[in-house]
Amino acid sequence: RKEVEQDPGPFNVPEGATVAFNCTYSNSASQSFFWYRQDCRKEPKLLMSVYSSGNEDGRFTAQLNRASQYISLLIRDSKLSDSATYLCVVNPQSGGSYIPTFGRGTSLIVHP
Amino acid sequence: GAVVSQHPSRVICKSGTSVKIECRSLDFQATTMFWYRQFPKKSLMLMATSNEGSKATYEQGVEKDKFLINHASLTLSTLTVTSAHPEDSSFYICSASPATSATYNEQFFGPGTRLTVL
């Protein structure tokens, strides 16, 4: 089983739709969680951290479920500019340092 | 804040030459930087973890003599691809976490270096 798994998609949705991505992780010792966005041929950019209590930033909501070992990202009122690949990142803690683990990414295509 | 730069952004070289890529954290100190490689339409692959003042930790399958990493200061790490071959052509990206980022270890990425080996 891969350490971090994501549905690669693509998710093809119309403008204004609500779309949700899940990401599962296998290391129960994981300490911190993030969603990144990567546009084609560009570097990943931090979208949001994922806190235990869940957090919201405008149209984006992130949730963490430690018991089931998954994190989710919900995008409401999708815009054309949301089209990108969304990467889930999990940081396990090991001996005081950490090695970030990336999912393969979920591709989102928002169409008019 | 939290800006990471990479230089060069693009390089084309002949097979057998060595290429050095610099990664700098511009407005923060980073005790740890990471080097990734990404092939077209593939996920990021961690190559190595670069720690200031010590040897880098390489992921399995990454040749440390091929990919030389130096982390000479808290704001600079370099990756040298030695004797590059066409199969080394890829998008190389570095990332860094602010030394003061205690709990959540957010990473900030450089813009990447696109290497093409002819």
Side-chain angles (χ1 to χ4, degrees):
Chain A
R1 181 183 173 187
K2 291 180 183 168
E3 290 188 53
V4 178
E5 292 201 58
Q6 290 182 254
D7 181 345
F11 285 63
N12 206 317
V13 303
E15 266 187 294
T18 296
V19 61
F21 310 135
N22 277 346
C23 168
T24 58
Y25 60 95
S26 59
N27 188 338
S28 59
S30 298
Q31 296 291 321
S32 51
F33 310 86
F34 307 92
W35 283 102
Y36 282 78
R37 169 197 169 122
Q38 186 174 25
D39 292 288
C40 188
R41 299 173 71 86
K42 298 285 187 183
E43 78 278 17
K45 290 190 188 296
L46 179 65
L47 181 65
M48 58 198 304
S49 305
V50 187
Y51 304 130
S52 295
S53 54
N55 47 303
E56 187 173 310
D57 183 2
R59 298 181 292 110
F60 299 85
T61 301
Q63 297 275 358
L64 166 63
N65 185 317
R66 284 191 185 272
S68 301
Q69 294 183 203
Y70 76 84
I71 65 173
S72 64
L73 177 68
L74 180 79
I75 305 176
R76 290 181 296 278
D77 188 23
S78 300
K79 311 291 184 191
L80 295 176
S81 56
D82 293 334
S83 298
T85 297
Y86 290 83
L87 302 168
C88 156
V89 180
V90 175
N91 283 343
Q93 202 78 20
S94 175
S97 64
Y98 64 94
I99 304 294
T101 304
F102 280 76
R104 294 174 62 87
T106 298
S107 177
L108 172 65
I109 301 170
V110 182
H111 58 82
Chain B
V3 177
V4 176
S5 71
Q6 250 183 272
H7 177 80
S9 58
R10 183 181 295 269
V11 59
I12 300 172
C13 67
K14 291 182 180 179
S15 187
T17 59
S18 293
V19 176
K20 183 189 241 184
I21 303 170
E22 290 187 350
C23 176
R24 292 181 186 274
S25 55
L26 297 185
D27 50 1
F28 65 96
Q29 294 184 327
T31 50
T32 303
M33 291 185 174
F34 301 92
W35 286 97
Y36 296 86
R37 181 167 54 182
Q38 188 173 35
F39 293 105
K41 298 190 178 182
K42 298 292 185 183
S43 59
L44 282 168
M45 287 178 48
L46 179 65
M47 299 176 66
T49 303
S50 169
N51 297 297
E52 186 267 337
S54 63
K55 290 183 180 179
T57 303
Y58 290 81
E59 294 300 296
Q60 192 172 11
V62 178
E63 300 174 57
K64 61 181 181 181
D65 295 329
K66 171 85 173 167
F67 299 99
L68 300 178
I69 290 172
N70 184 285
H71 195 149
S73 75
L74 287 172
T75 59
L76 172 64
S77 176
T78 60
L79 168 69
T80 301
V81 184
T82 62
S83 187
H85 288 96
E87 58 267 28
D88 297 324
S89 299
S90 188
F91 190 45
Y92 292 86
I93 312 174
C94 71
S95 72
S97 287
T100 55
S101 177
T103 306
Y104 289 101
N105 300 318
E106 297 166 340
Q107 289 189 70
F108 298 92
F109 286 82
T113 296
R114 195 162 299 281
L115 171 64
T116 303
V117 185
L118 304 176

